[in-house]
Amino acid sequence: NATTYTRHVQMMDSLGIHHIDMNKWFAAQRKDSINNLLFGKAGTHWTVYGSLLVADSLSRYLEQRTGKVFPRLHITRYRYADSARSTDDDIAKGLNLLQQWPQERLCYPDYEFTKPDSPGRKIVFIGDSFLWTLLNNGYVKATGPQWQLWYYFNDAWKEPVPESGVEKMEHYNWQQPLADAECVVIMY
């Protein structure tokens, strides 16, 4: 039984489009090698920690494919909390439960992204709400000032946020940024 996900993977493969299947990796792992949760029970997105692994994997993949330098993740300290932060409990917050959602031990490391020596990459990120995790953890901005984030191909965000505001794609000249992009990252 084909799903949208399996159809996307098949289409990318058949067209020879380079891609990383993070969904497959996350489904197989559930936790990393030091037992940190990559998806929490109370959230709909990767955990904050999981989003950092995605960002680091994406940079390594883009470097391998392009030969150019991308931001690298450096974790300086692992910290843990028994209560969720950021979007790690976004589903639980919306459930309006009479009792508190059971807490999980989650990893919230101290980290930084090294910035490339170049003025940055022209990258267009296209996708769903998982893109916000890469914006919130600082990865998107670490790529340099020339990034754009196209949310569901409905809204265009670009640096500086929020000063640049949101532009609706129907009124946005998206063809030029797409043609000028060094990389296009589509999250599906």
Side-chain angles (χ1 to χ4, degrees), residues 73-79 109-112:
L73 172 68
H74 292 284
I75 294 177
T76 55
R77 183 174 178 189
Y78 289 89
R79 296 181 187 264
D110 294 336
Y111 68 93
E112 66 180 2

Side-chain angles (χ1 to χ4, degrees), residues 2-75:
T3 63
T4 301
Y5 161 73
T6 57
R7 287 187 178 140
H8 276 107
V9 171
Q10 290 168 350
M11 180 182 65
M12 298 286 200
D13 287 340
S14 71
L15 295 173
I17 297 173
H18 303 289
H19 64 280
I20 307 173
D21 189 349
M22 294 306 297
N23 186 55
K24 183 177 179 181
W25 186 80
F26 267 78
Q29 300 296 319
R30 302 271 184 218
K31 296 181 179 180
D32 74 350
S33 61
I34 55 176
N35 228 22
N36 292 320
L37 289 174
L38 304 176
F39 268 101
K41 293 178 182 173
T44 189
H45 299 96
W46 306 306
T47 59
V48 169
Y49 177 73
S51 76
L52 295 173
L53 298 184
V54 169
D56 192 56
S57 296
L58 181 58
S59 275
R60 291 172 189 270
Y61 182 79
L62 292 173
E63 284 182 358
Q64 177 189 24
R65 298 297 319 159
T66 66
K68 297 178 179 179
V69 178
F70 287 83
R72 283 297 185 97
L73 172 68
H74 292 284
I75 294 177

Side-chain angles (χ1 to χ4, degrees), residues 99-118:
Q99 60 189 25
Q100 185 176 357
W101 186 274
Q103 298 298 308
E104 302 174 280
R105 183 173 181 257
L106 297 167
C107 181
Y108 296 98
D110 294 336
Y111 68 93
E112 66 180 2
F113 287 107
T114 59
K115 296 190 179 184
D117 294 335
S118 70

Side-chain angles (χ1 to χ4, degrees), residues 47 50 53 61 65 116 121 126 129-130 142-143 146 161 176 181 183:
T47 59
L53 298 184
Y61 182 79
R65 298 297 319 159
R121 303 282 170 235
I126 305 171
S129 57
F130 279 78
T143 63
Q146 301 182 65
V161 173
Q176 196 59 53
C183 298

